[in-house]
C-alpha cells in the first residue's frame, strides 16, 4: 500500500503535509545538522529498546528454568559457567547498562529535537516578519493586525510540532514498532499475527476521529484570530471605548468570540480524549489475546517462558508507540492547521516587487510625473483613473478633494507603497521601478496625518529615518522642527522613552517629532498627508511654519482639506473619484467657478452654491464638513 493510500497518512492529509514541508524547506535546512544527530540518537535508543527484555529472558531460561527446552539456546551451558546467581547478577548489570545507554540516547534525542524546534521557530518567525513587512499596504489593509500577530506567535509555535517534534517522534516510534515486529516474527509469526489483529481497528479509529479533530482545531484557530484582532482593536481605541462608556458592549463582543473559541476547543478536547480511550481499550484487547494465545504456545512447547516474557515486553513496547502515534496525529492535525495559516501569508506574492536588475537611485532633483496612472484595491472599483500630472523640481503641490478621492493613494505611488495597475510614475524622467526600493525611499520624506511613534527613546524615533545619525544630527533635525527646547526640558532629554503611540505627548509635539524624523533624511521629495488636520489652530500654525522651512528647495506634495493650507502652492490638483477635476494655482481656481471655488465659499461661511452639478455640490458639502 502506498503512503498516500494508507489511512494514517490520509488522516493527516499527507499531500498537505508535503506541500507545507516544501514551503518551509529553507527553514528546515537550517536545522538539518540537529535533525541528523537526533535521528542517529533515535537509532541508538531503538537498539537499546530492542535489547531491554533479553536479560530477563536469560534469567528465566538459564537460571530459573535451566532444564526447559530452549528454542533460542546459547552454544554453551550458561548455568554451569556462571551459576544461577551469576546469571542473575550478569543480567542485572546488562539491564543497568542498557538502561544507561538507552537513557543517554533518549536524552540527546529529546534535547536535539527541542533545540531544532526552537531554532526552526526562530527562523520561521524571522522569515514571516520579514515577508510581512515587505507586503504592500493593500495586503495589510485586507488583514486584521491581531490575527497577523497571532500567526507570528501562537501558530509558529504549533508549526514546530508539525515540522520537527511530531514528525521525528512518529518516525522514531515507527522504527521501534518495525524493529520489534521483526524480532517477534522471528520468534513466533503466528503469535505476532494475533497481536496485530487490533491494528486495523486502531488505524481506522485514528483516521475517523482525527479528521473531525482537525476541523475543530481549524475553526478554533479562526476564532482565536478574530478574538486577537478584536483585542488589538479595542486596546488601540481604549480612549474611545472609555469615553463613550462602551466597556460592557466590548465585553459582550469579546465574550461572544471567546465563547465560540471555547466551544471548538471543548469539542477538540472531547475528540482527543475519545481517541485516547478507544486506543487504550483496543490495546487491552490485543494484550489479553496475546497472553492467552502465548500461554498455549508455551504449554505446547513452541516457546519458553523467557520467550513469552520477551514477546509480552515487545508487545507492550509496540502498543505504546502505537498509542503515542495516535495521540501525535491529533497534535499533528492541530499543527497542520497552524502551519497552513502561516503558509497562507508566506504564499502571498509581494505586489510591490523590486526588479532583479534594479539600480540604486541617484540623487534626485525632484521632478515627478504621473503618466496615465490607474489603480484599484478591488477589481472593478477604481481609485485612480488615467491620472496624468507633471511636477517640476522644487514645486509645492497641493492635493485637495473629498474623502476617498484618491489623494493619499496617488502619493503612495511615489515611494511605491503601491504600484499602479496601469501607467507609470517617474522621478527625473526615470520610472521608479528601475530603482531599488531602499534607495528610492531613502530620498522621500513622509509626514502623516496621525504621526506614528514607537515605544522607544525620542532620539531613536527621530533617527528612525537615518539609523546612523549622530546625536548632533538628531538635535539639528529637532531644532529645525521646533521641538528641541521641549525635548531638552525633559529629565532624560533625547533619551526619554515615549509611551507606545506617543500618547504621553500632545498632538503638536508628536507631529513635530515626526517632522524631525523626515527632516533628518534631508529628502529632495517630501509628502505631507494632512499633517495639521488633527491639530488646533495654534499648533497647526506652528507646524505649518515648520513645514515651510522643511520644504525649502524640495519638491513637496501636500494633501489638505483646509484650502488655506495649500493657498501658496505652485499648483493645486483637485481630485474627484480618482479623476483630476481641476488643476492650477489658488488664484486661478478661485475664479474658475468650479469645485475649488465652491469649497472655498463654504469654508469662509458662504451659504449658497450654484445649483449646477449635483454631484459636485454633494462632494463640496462632504469636503466642507
Amino acid at each position: 500500500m502506498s503512503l498516500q493510500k494508507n489511512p494514517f497518512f490520509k488522516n493527516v492529509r499527507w499531500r498537505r503535509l508535503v506541500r507545507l514541508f516544501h514551503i518551509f524547506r529553507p527553514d528546515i535546512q537550517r536545522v538539518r545538522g540537529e535533525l541528523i544527530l537526533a535521528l542517529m540518537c533515535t537509532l541508538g535508543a531503538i537498539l537499546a529498546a530492542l535489547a531491554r527484555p533479553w536479560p530477563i529472558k536469560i534469567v528465566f531460561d538459564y537460571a530459573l528454568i535451566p532444564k526447559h527446552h530452549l528454542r533460542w539456546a546459547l552454544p554453551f551451558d550458561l548455568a554451569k559457567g556462571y551459576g544461577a546467581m551469576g546469571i542473575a547478577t550478569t543480567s542485572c548489570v546488562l539491564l543497568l547498562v542498557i538502561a544507561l545507554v538507552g537513557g543517554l540516547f533518549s536524552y540527546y534525542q529529546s534535547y536535539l529535537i527541542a533545540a531544532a524546534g526552537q531554532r526552526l521557530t526562530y527562523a520561521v518567525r524571522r522569515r514571516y516578519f520579514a515577508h510581512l513587512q515587505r507586503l504592500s499596504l493593500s495586503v495589510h489593509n485586507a488583514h486584521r493586525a491581531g490575527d497577523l500577530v497571532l500567526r507570528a506567535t501562537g501558530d509558529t509555535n504549533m508549526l514546530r510540532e508539525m515540522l520537527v517534534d511530531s514528525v521525528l517522534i512518529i518516525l522514531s516510534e515507527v522504527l521501534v514498532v518495525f524493529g520489534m515486529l521483526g524480532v517477534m516474527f522471528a520468534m513466533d509469526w503466528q503469535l505476532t499475527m494475533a497481536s496485530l489483529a487490533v491494528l486495523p481497528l486502531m488505524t481506522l479509529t485514528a483516521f475517523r476521529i482525527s479528521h473531525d479533530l482537525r476541523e475543530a482545531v481549524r475553526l478554533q484557530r479562526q476564532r482565536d484570530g478574530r478574538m486577537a484582532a478584536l483585542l488589538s482593536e479595542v486596546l488601540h481605541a481604549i480612549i474611545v471605548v472609555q469615553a463613550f462608556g462602551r466597556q460592557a458592549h466590548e465585553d459582550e463582543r469579546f465574550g461572544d468570540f471567546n465563547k465560540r473559541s471555547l466551544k471548538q476547543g471543548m469539542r477538540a478536547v472531547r475528540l482527543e480524549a475519545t481517541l485516547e480511550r478507544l486506543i487504550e481499550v483496543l490495546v487491552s484487547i490485543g494484550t489479553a489475546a496475546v497472553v492467552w494465545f502465548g500461554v498455549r504456545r508455551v504449554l505446547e512447547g513452541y516457546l519458553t517462558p523467557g520467550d513469552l516474557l520477551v514477546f509480552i515486553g515487545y508487545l507492550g513496547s509496540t502498543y505504546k508507540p502505537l498509542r503515542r502515534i495516535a495521540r501525535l496525529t491529533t497534535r499533528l492535525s492541530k499543527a497542520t492547521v497552524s502551519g497552513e495559516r502561516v503558509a497562507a501569508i508566506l504564499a502571498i506574492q509581494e505586489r510591490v516587487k523590486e526588479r532583479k536588475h534594479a539600480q540604486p537611485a541617484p540623487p534626485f532633483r525632484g521632478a515627478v510625473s504621473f503618466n496615465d496612472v490607474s489603480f484599484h484595491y478591488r477589481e472593478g472599483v477604481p481609485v485612480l483613473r488615467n491620472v496624468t500630472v507633471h511636477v517640476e523640481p522644487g514645486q509645492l503641490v497641493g492635493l485637495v478633494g473629498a474623502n476617498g478621492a484618491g489623494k493619499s493613494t496617488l502619493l503612495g505611488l511615489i515611494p511605491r507603497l503601491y504600484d499602479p495597475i496601469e501607467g507609470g510614475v517617474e522621478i527625473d524622467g526615470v520610472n521608479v521601478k528601475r530603482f531599488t526600493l531602499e534607495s528610492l525611499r531613502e530620498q522621500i520624506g513622509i509626514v502623516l496625518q496621525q504621526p506614528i511613534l514607537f515605544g522607544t527613546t525620542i532620539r531613536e524615533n527621530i533617527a528612525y529615518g537615518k539609523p546612523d545619525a549622530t546625536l548632533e544630527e538628531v538635535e539639528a533635525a529637532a531644532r529645525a522642527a521646533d521641538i528641541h527646547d521641549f525635548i531638552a526640558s525633559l529629565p532624560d532629554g533625547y533619551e526619554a522613552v515615549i509611551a507606545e503611540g506617543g500618547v504621553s505627548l500632545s498632538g503638536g509635539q508628536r507631529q513635530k517629532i515626526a517632522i524631525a524624523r523626515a527632516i533628518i533624511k534631508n529628502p529632495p521629495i517630501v509628502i505631507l498627508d494632512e499633517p495639521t488636520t488633527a491639530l488646533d489652530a495654534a499648533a497647526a500654525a506652528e507646524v505649518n511654519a515648520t513645514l515651510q522651512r522643511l520644504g525649502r528647495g524640495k519638491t513637496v506634495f501636500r494633501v489638505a482639506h483646509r484650502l488655506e493650507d495649500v493657498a501658496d502652492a505652485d499648483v493645486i490638483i483637485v481630485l474627484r473619484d480618482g479623476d483630476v477635476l481641476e488643476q492650477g494655482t489658488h488664484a486661478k481656481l478661485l475664479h474658475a467657478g468650479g469645485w475649488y471655488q465652491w469649497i472655498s465659499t463654504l469654508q469662509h461661511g458662504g451659504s449658497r452654491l450654484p445649483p449646477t452639478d449635483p454631484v459636485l455640490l454633494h462632494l463640496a458639502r462632504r469636503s466642507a464638513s
Side-chain angles (χ1 to χ4, degrees), residues 134 350-361 416 419 432-441:
R134 286 157 179 80
E350 300 178 24
R351 298 187 185 180
V352 178
K353 292 185 178 180
E354 188 174 278
R355 288 183 175 178
K356 185 176 181 180
H357 301 293
Q359 299 295 320
R416 295 192 66 195
D419 273 342
V432 293
K433 291 184 179 180
R434 295 180 60 181
F435 305 130
T436 61
L437 288 172
E438 183 178 358
S439 64
L440 170 67
R441 293 170 180 174

Side-chain angles (χ1 to χ4, degrees), residues 177-290:
V177 170
F178 277 104
M180 290 184 175
L181 287 177
V183 177
M184 289 164 65
F185 264 104
M187 294 175 67
D188 192 321
W189 69 270
Q190 293 177 340
L191 190 58
T192 302
M193 294 302 295
S195 69
L196 295 178
V198 297
L199 187 59
L201 287 175
M202 293 174 66
T203 304
L204 181 62
T205 301
F207 167 66
R208 292 179 64 91
I209 294 181
S210 293
H211 178 272
D212 295 336
L213 177 63
R214 184 176 58 254
E215 182 62 20
V217 171
R218 185 184 65 81
L219 292 174
Q220 184 186 19
R221 297 306 290 176
Q222 281 186 354
R223 304 290 190 272
D224 288 346
R226 293 175 185 174
M227 187 166 57
L230 174 63
L231 183 61
S232 175
E233 183 180 63
V234 170
L235 291 178
H236 277 91
I238 190 65
I239 186 173
V240 176
V241 175
Q242 293 183 353
F244 283 85
R246 299 289 283 171
Q247 293 93 327
H249 169 71
E250 298 301 340
D251 284 345
E252 291 181 8
R253 288 180 66 200
F254 186 81
D256 181 53
F257 280 114
N258 204 7
K259 182 186 253 182
R260 294 180 188 180
S261 176
L262 173 64
K263 182 179 178 181
Q264 295 301 326
M266 293 303 297
R267 183 186 174 207
V269 169
R270 185 175 67 253
L271 289 169
E272 191 171 353
T274 300
L275 177 60
E276 289 188 10
R277 298 292 78 76
L278 287 176
I279 295 297
E280 288 287 347
V281 170
L282 291 174
V283 166
S284 299
I285 292 173
T287 303
V290 167

Side-chain angles (χ1 to χ4, degrees), residues 29-52:
Q29 287 179 337
R30 293 173 178 265
V31 296
R32 82 185 150 189
E34 288 94 332
L35 295 179
I36 292 173
L37 289 175
L39 187 57
M40 294 174 63
C41 290
T42 297
L43 295 176
I46 290 172
L47 292 176
L50 291 174
R52 193 171 296 125

Side-chain angles (χ1 to χ4, degrees), residues 33 50 54 195 200 290 308 335 373 387 390 552 559 581:
L50 291 174
W54 287 90
S195 69
V290 167
L308 182 59
V373 165
V387 174
H390 180 70
R552 288 173 187 165
V559 177
L581 186 64

Side-chain angles (χ1 to χ4, degrees), residues 282-519:
L282 291 174
V283 166
S284 299
I285 292 173
T287 303
V290 167
V291 170
W292 185 87
F293 192 51
V295 170
R296 284 193 59 183
R297 300 290 285 177
V298 171
L299 295 176
E300 292 171 356
Y302 290 101
L303 294 175
T304 69
D307 292 337
L308 182 59
L309 283 175
V310 171
F311 209 97
I312 293 175
Y314 277 174
L315 185 64
S317 298
T318 300
Y319 282 149
K320 183 178 178 182
L322 290 176
R323 287 197 299 270
R324 290 190 67 186
I325 290 173
R327 286 197 297 268
L328 285 169
T329 57
T330 65
R331 291 168 58 184
L332 200 55
S333 297
K334 296 178 181 179
T336 301
V337 172
S338 294
E340 288 175 340
R341 282 169 49 82
V342 176
I345 299 300
L346 294 176
I348 297 175
Q349 295 295 318
E350 300 178 24
R351 298 187 185 180
V352 178
K353 292 185 178 180
E354 188 174 278
R355 288 183 175 178
K356 185 176 181 180
H357 301 293
Q359 299 295 320
F364 292 149
R365 291 170 43 248
V368 179
S369 297
F370 300 91
N371 301 319
D372 204 24
V373 165
S374 297
F375 180 82
H376 63 251
Y377 293 103
R378 296 195 310 269
E379 191 73 34
V381 186
V383 178
L384 298 171
R385 292 184 289 196
N386 307 113
V387 174
T388 298
V389 174
H390 180 70
V391 178
E392 296 294 337
Q395 281 190 325
L396 171 59
V397 181
L399 284 91
V400 296
N403 292 329
K407 305 181 294 295
S408 299
T409 301
L410 180 66
L411 297 185
L413 300 177
I414 303 175
R416 295 192 66 195
L417 301 179
Y418 315 95
D419 273 342
I421 305 301
E422 296 177 0
V425 181
E426 295 181 350
I427 297 180
D428 297 338
V430 181
N431 193 303
V432 293
K433 291 184 179 180
R434 295 180 60 181
F435 305 130
T436 61
L437 288 172
E438 183 178 358
S439 64
L440 170 67
R441 293 170 180 174
E442 276 181 353
Q443 300 190 62
I444 301 173
I446 300 178
V447 180
L448 303 173
Q449 175 184 350
Q450 295 293 337
I452 298 173
L453 302 180
F454 299 94
T456 183
T457 65
I458 294 177
R459 175 180 178 177
E460 288 173 318
N461 269 280
I462 295 176
Y464 197 80
K466 187 181 179 183
D468 59 346
T470 63
L471 180 58
E472 290 73 19
E473 290 177 302
V474 171
E475 289 184 0
R479 291 180 189 276
D482 285 334
I483 193 66
H484 170 75
D485 291 341
F486 165 74
I487 297 173
S489 68
L490 298 175
D492 296 323
Y494 283 88
E495 299 303 321
V497 176
I498 299 175
E500 184 180 0
V503 295
S504 57
L505 305 175
S506 69
Q509 291 164 347
R510 291 196 299 269
Q511 195 61 281
K512 287 182 178 181
I513 291 176
I515 293 171
R517 182 170 59 198
I519 289 174

